[in-house]
Amino acid sequence: MNSIIRIAVQKSGRLSDDSLSLIKECGIKFYNGTGKLKSTSTNFPIEFLFLRDDDIPGYVSDGVADLGIVGENELVEKDREVSLLKRLGFSKCRLSLAIPKGEDYEDVNYFEGKSLATSYPKILGDYLKSKNIHAEIHEISGSVEIAPSIGLAEGICDIVSSGSTLMMNGLKEVEEIFKSEAVLIANKNLSEEKLAIIDKLLFRINAVQKGKSNKYVLLNAPNESLEKIINLIPGMRSPTILPLAQEGWSSVHSVLSEDQFWENIEELRAAGAEGILVVPIEKMVI
Ligand code: ATP
Ligand code: MG
């Protein structure tokens, strides 16, 4: 049987570009002309549905789509039964409570008896309940940050990334209540065939993610410092050592996480490493 999996991705918005880039980096080819709502890959058994992000958890839980890429905020808010397969590391943002700039604020008890506007009534409601605070929640679907200035609510709960939208609207962020990033979700009742395709996809996503967080490092070093350098950059199994044309020198090649590279750079130089090159890795399969 020729199974095909269906993935729901955001049609146009803050998740779309990174979702589609990830899929392309997995070597999956497809056409997504403007206005298209559906597309099928030419080289992988996957079909795409381009939707509003609000609808993605529901489509995946109902089985209209097998997989979806959505923000955790939307996933938790919609509260649908799905499996969370993987955090994807992009579209990072937070949900925060904000109040007019001039207000004095000490702690979350400020919100007792207040009115709050939000597009996330469930996440906000759960948070307030956990703090034992009673506030009135006004659900609105957009432009939440203008609610206090037009007298609709005394505070808001909304997505923040840099905080500049809050500032422009005379608000200040006072509590962070939820952290979010894009996640890959799946329907809970998938056939063996579909699960096997999803495994292949996850294998590729892992290779792309590992590649992104690691670098290929090349450097030259005098032979007498090789031992020290190998200890500093042990690589996947062990570094490759090649002789340079100049007697007494070698080229060392290794793979390491970018953080580890910056931590070790001074020691590498002190050990005699020079001509250090750091090269991106497209994919990495260990
Ligand atoms: P749609 O039309 O699909 O309903 P939307 O307007 O609800 O789109 P977007 O603004 O495109 O949603 O945001 C989609 C998701 O991206 C959010 O749910 C959140 O997870 C994440 N996100 C939102 N704002 C930011 C931001 N400033 N930086 C990074 N990620 C963000
Ligand atoms: Mg939306």
Side-chain angles (χ1 to χ4, degrees):
M1 208 182 87
N2 289 331
S3 268
I4 178 162
I5 52 168
R6 230 188 214 181
I7 185 167
V9 293
Q10 191 189 22
K11 182 165 160 42
S12 141
R14 291 193 150 107
L15 290 157
S16 319
D17 288 351
D18 287 337
S19 303
L20 297 183
S21 304
L22 175 65
I23 291 175
K24 285 183 184 147
E25 284 167 326
C26 288
I28 295 172
K29 296 201 166 75
F30 60 94
Y31 173 72
N32 70 314
T34 38
K36 261 196 125 184
L37 300 178
K38 233 172 105 176
S39 177
T40 307
S41 166
T42 51
N43 66 348
F44 194 86
I46 193 166
E47 185 176 72
F48 300 88
L49 294 184
F50 301 106
L51 303 169
R52 288 206 50 191
D53 70 344
D54 310 55
D55 298 330
I56 294 176
Y59 273 49
V60 173
S61 123
D62 294 343
V64 176
D66 305 307
L67 292 178
I69 297 179
V70 71
E72 252 172 311
N73 52 323
E74 212 56 59
L75 175 64
V76 173
E77 182 60 34
K78 293 293 184 285
D79 198 19
R80 303 293 299 254
E81 273 282 299
V82 296
S83 321
L84 196 163
L85 294 187
K86 196 154 182 61
R87 288 177 200 285
L88 298 172
F90 58 83
S91 298
K92 286 192 173 167
C93 59
R94 57 190 189 272
L95 270 182
S96 290
L97 289 167
I99 58 172
K101 248 192 301 224
E103 290 282 307
D104 288 331
Y105 184 85
E106 246 172 57
D107 59 31
V108 70
N109 291 311
Y110 171 91
F111 292 101
E112 182 64 38
K114 295 268 197 303
S115 60
L116 288 163
T118 189
S119 311
Y120 297 92
K122 174 177 161 43
I123 297 178
L124 176 59
D126 288 351
Y127 172 80
L128 292 173
K129 205 166 163 194
S130 75
K131 301 282 177 191
N132 203 20
I133 285 169
H134 307 86
E136 195 187 320
I137 299 178
H138 287 283
E139 180 179 356
I140 52 176
S141 59
S143 306
V144 173
E145 57 287 331
I146 65 162
S149 64
I150 60 172
L152 178 69
E154 294 165 283
I156 65 161
C157 168
D158 202 11
I159 291 179
V160 181
S161 60
S162 69
S164 57
T165 312
L166 290 182
M167 269 216 326
M168 274 186 328
N169 287 283
L171 300 172
K172 62 178 178 186
E173 183 178 1
V174 291
E175 299 285 341
E176 174 183 308
I177 71 164
F178 189 84
K179 264 188 178 353
S180 178
E181 66 185 274
V183 289
L184 180 68
I185 56 172
N187 178 271
K188 286 203 152 174
N189 303 300
L190 293 173
S191 65
E192 288 297 318
E193 289 94 349
K194 285 188 176 180
L195 288 172
I197 301 172
I198 291 171
D199 270 351
K200 280 191 189 164
L201 177 66
L202 279 173
F203 179 84
R204 295 189 186 191
I205 292 176
N206 286 334
V208 170
Q209 287 192 332
K210 284 233 169 57
K212 279 199 178 135
S213 57
N214 286 278
K215 301 285 170 199
Y216 191 75
V217 177
L218 303 92
L219 57 86
N220 294 332
N223 288 344
E224 59 271 18
S225 39
L226 284 179
E227 207 180 306
K228 208 166 175 190
I229 286 175
I230 290 168
N231 284 330
L232 287 170
I233 51 170
M236 287 202 279
R237 186 176 294 272
S238 74
T240 305
I241 312 282
L242 298 167
L244 289 192
Q246 185 182 340
E247 189 92 10
W249 281 75
S250 295
S251 166
V252 181
H253 299 201
S254 191
V255 169
L256 63 163
S257 77
E258 192 158 24
D259 299 347
Q260 201 187 349
F261 172 76
W262 288 115
E263 272 166 29
N264 287 344
I265 180 82
E266 291 311 325
E267 283 178 87
L268 284 171
R269 279 155 53 87
E274 56 180 62
I276 304 172
L277 302 180
V278 179
V279 183
I281 296 172
E282 194 172 304
K283 276 151 201 122
M284 191 163 150
V285 178
I286 307 182

